[in-house]
Amino acid sequence: METTQAKLELLRDWMKRESIDAYCVPRADEYLGEYLPEFNERLHWLSGFTGSAGMAVVLADEAAIFVDGRYTVQVRRQVDENLFAIEHLIENPPTTWLAGQLKSGSRVVIDPRMCSLSWYESSEKTLAKAGILLAGDAQNPIDRFWNNRPSVASTAATLLDVAYSGETAASKRARMGRRVQEAGADAALLFAPESVSWLLNIRGDDVPCVPVVLAAAMLEGNGSVHLLIDRARVPDLLDEHTGGGVFVIDEREAAEFLCAWGGKTVLADPNSGNAWTQMMLREGGATLLAGDDPVMLEKACKNPVEIEGARAAHRRDALAVIRFLAWIDRSIDDGKALSEDDLAQKLTSLRAELELFQGPSFDTISAAGANAAMCHYNHLDNPVSYLERDSVYLVDSGGQYLDGTTDITRTVTTGAVSLELKRKFTLVLKGHIALDQARFSPGTTGTHLDALARQFLWAEGCDFDHGTGHGVGAYLSVHEGPQRIAKAWNSAPLAPGMVVSNEPGYYRDGAFGIRCENLLLVRECDDAQFEKPMLEFEAITLVPFDRRLIDVMLLTPEERNWVDQYHRRVLKELPLELLCPEDRAWLETAAAPLP
């Protein structure tokens, strides 16, 4: 097996031959999604880092890897600090670091398929101020050096029935085509595989846990779609399924196709479409109209069929999680040794028994004790750890079902824990409750609401270094935009039909981690007393929080009432007859009123 040192030497030898002073390797592929197929994990191949965001920068005599706050602990466990300096992706971005490391006249290279146009252009300006040139080269050297690279996806896409999508592809295409016209464009470049898959009601298994087809598309104002995909992967009956008007372009002909749009105005999102694609459009004479992917917002606002599907999927999913949590308690009482992998596999096996289950919605975060301090911990990338008595266990997991996508985090105790841990758990829960109970006017964004979830931690000088909430798709990506709840500015207003997570947390390195996560549906308030229309959240996750970790003295009467009402909902809305007597008894205790 090649060592990291050997891989760096291969890359540096190539850089020397090509007169390159620095080469950038982002954790990305051509589609710029968070989840990558194994054959596109170039940053992992080079550095050993498995997180979902980051970038390595390699110079002739040194290298650095940049990660955000979610991975500051993990990166030091996975990456050799003798070979890579560890830098913060937000506080000291790669281009800022490069401007301080390189001399004027230096040349920095990146594969323009692996970054957005906005990143490329802003980085180009930043480096130019230091006299440094940024150049794009789509001939990625890592693809050449990567021995035994996993095979590229080759299975055909599948067709999603309208019983689950709630709208035909022909209807979606016509509606989205009108959006393109309203934007003043001839066509729109759809670059996110989630957008393409939603628009055409197709799904795939190209990316682990995310049922999308890796494909781009050009949507014309008349609703016609040019689908850029490997022809071998086009499913039978696609034309009939989509209502005609979908033209397949082999992805190997992408450059020629894009350069043929001369004289046309193409709507493209500089933040989600890769730089290379938009450079090819410009090279061919097309006029780029910067704007949001027109499908994103429509996809995020679920239709009635998708909403009911999400509720149904969460009811089924709750049964698996409840059975899992009850099993943990029994296993601890019986003195069984449970590894993090044992736990993750058990939960997946329980979900696999459920109707319409297609697989996990992401790799289960199964974190025992101090491992939970890494909020995106993956037990498969770390030494075997076992769940211990008198500790806590954090499990963040989800399922993909034909009618919906789930995502839930619960932190549970395995016995006696400190008062300090219970206090922190309760502060996190109080923030979760505050966000859940928010009512807000149309036009409010997730940024406006983010402080609600952090206020109790802030009051004690604490915080968490990740977003509070992300959008969730309808049998699509568990992380979807444009909605988000976070400190960083997000311009997309929360709107009825959106699903968003509510997941404040607290992490103490070397000790424990806490997160409480439900998925929320944005809906209109039904209150005649309001002067103006208002929006609110409906929790669609229905699993008890661990009452044993709650310091009830820290709760207000209203918060106590929220916990008890939520647990009553769990008992009322779940089909308890599907649980065995032992699991039902566990649930009745877990969902009992607070003392």
Side-chain angles (χ1 to χ4, degrees), residues 211-292:
V212 295
V213 179
L214 288 181
M218 191 73 81
L219 168 66
E220 296 194 66
N222 63 6
S224 296
V225 169
H226 302 268
L227 179 64
L228 282 80
I229 190 173
D230 180 351
R231 287 185 182 276
R233 306 190 56 235
V234 177
D236 295 336
L237 305 178
L238 178 66
D239 193 63
E240 179 182 329
H241 178 72
T242 58
V246 176
F247 308 99
V248 176
I249 309 295
D250 193 282
E251 60 188 9
R252 289 166 292 190
E253 303 167 3
E256 180 182 353
F257 169 78
L258 294 167
C259 288
W261 285 81
K264 301 289 187 180
T265 298
V266 179
L267 175 66
D269 186 346
N271 297 307
S272 67
N274 76 33
W276 178 84
T277 305
Q278 294 173 75
M279 288 173 175
M280 289 296 100
L281 286 167
R282 280 178 178 165
E283 187 175 309
T287 298
L288 290 182
L289 176 62
D292 294 334

Side-chain angles (χ1 to χ4, degrees), residues 406-438:
T406 70
D407 180 5
I408 173 177
T409 307
R410 287 295 181 266
T411 307
V412 298
T413 180
T414 59
V417 295
S418 69
L419 292 177
E420 169 66 6
L421 193 154
K422 293 179 70 172
R423 182 177 185 85
K424 290 298 190 290
F425 178 89
T426 308
L427 294 177
V428 171
L429 181 61
K430 283 166 71 72
H432 178 98
I433 295 169
L435 181 58
D436 177 276
Q437 291 293 280

Side-chain angles (χ1 to χ4, degrees), residues 315-335:
R315 287 193 294 269
R316 290 195 306 277
D317 194 74
L319 296 177
V321 178
I322 287 166
R323 291 176 62 196
F324 173 67
L325 296 178
W327 172 79
I328 291 177
D329 275 1
R330 291 194 297 270
S331 298
I332 292 295
D333 289 343
D334 292 342

